[in-house]
Amino acid sequence: MAALLNNLLIHNHIKRAVPRKKKWADQMFIRNREKNILELLLKMSGTHTVSSLASTLHVSERTVNRDMRNIEKILSEYNLKISRNKDNFLYIKGKNEDIFKLSQSLS
């Protein structure tokens, strides 16, 4: 019994040490509208508010705010985040190379 328990402990330790491959369910899912919001923020950083995004995409501000929650999760995968300036204009904040990686993954 002790040998079996020891084998399980060793197996679990090895299993945790090896990085696991992402399964389809673990991968970040991005909706088309969220992709459009990200592209608008990347191309025209600092020129959009939640209201202007809603108007451009023909949705409500509430919808944009809901999409922003998932967008923030996506951006965190790239070490980026959404910030607002003093006039509530949105922009993506982070290193240029991380912003470049994000833009490459969207195309």
Side-chain angles (χ1 to χ4, degrees):
M1 182 68 131
L4 178 62
L5 184 59
N6 195 27
N7 262 350
L8 285 173
L9 289 173
I10 291 171
H11 177 72
N12 284 339
H13 178 69
I14 292 170
K15 191 175 183 180
R16 275 189 243 118
V18 176
R20 106 185 145 123
K21 291 183 180 179
K22 282 191 171 184
K23 296 178 183 176
W24 181 83
D26 293 339
Q27 294 176 350
M28 193 61 64
F29 178 74
I30 183 167
R31 293 178 185 89
N32 192 38
R33 188 174 54 240
E34 293 165 347
K35 182 179 177 185
N36 290 339
I37 291 171
L38 281 169
E39 288 173 342
L40 285 168
L41 291 176
L42 285 169
K43 291 177 186 173
M44 303 173 69
S45 184
T47 61
H48 280 289
T49 62
V50 170
S51 178
S52 69
L53 287 171
S55 177
T56 301
L57 299 170
H58 307 290
V59 296
S60 70
E61 289 181 27
R62 183 176 179 185
T63 299
V64 172
N65 282 319
R66 192 174 348 161
D67 288 343
M68 294 299 260
R69 286 193 291 271
N70 194 42
I71 288 171
E72 287 172 351
K73 291 176 188 175
I74 293 165
L75 290 177
S76 71
E77 295 286 319
Y78 294 90
N79 299 316
L80 300 169
K81 62 185 206 175
I82 292 183
S83 292
R84 297 171 191 254
N85 67 15
K86 61 181 176 139
D87 298 321
N88 278 331
F89 287 102
L90 304 168
Y91 63 96
I92 297 174
K93 185 176 182 180
K95 295 181 180 177
N96 287 337
E97 55 265 18
D98 294 331
I99 293 172
F100 180 75
K101 288 177 189 175
L102 172 65
S103 65
Q104 291 298 306
S105 71
L106 292 175
S107 54

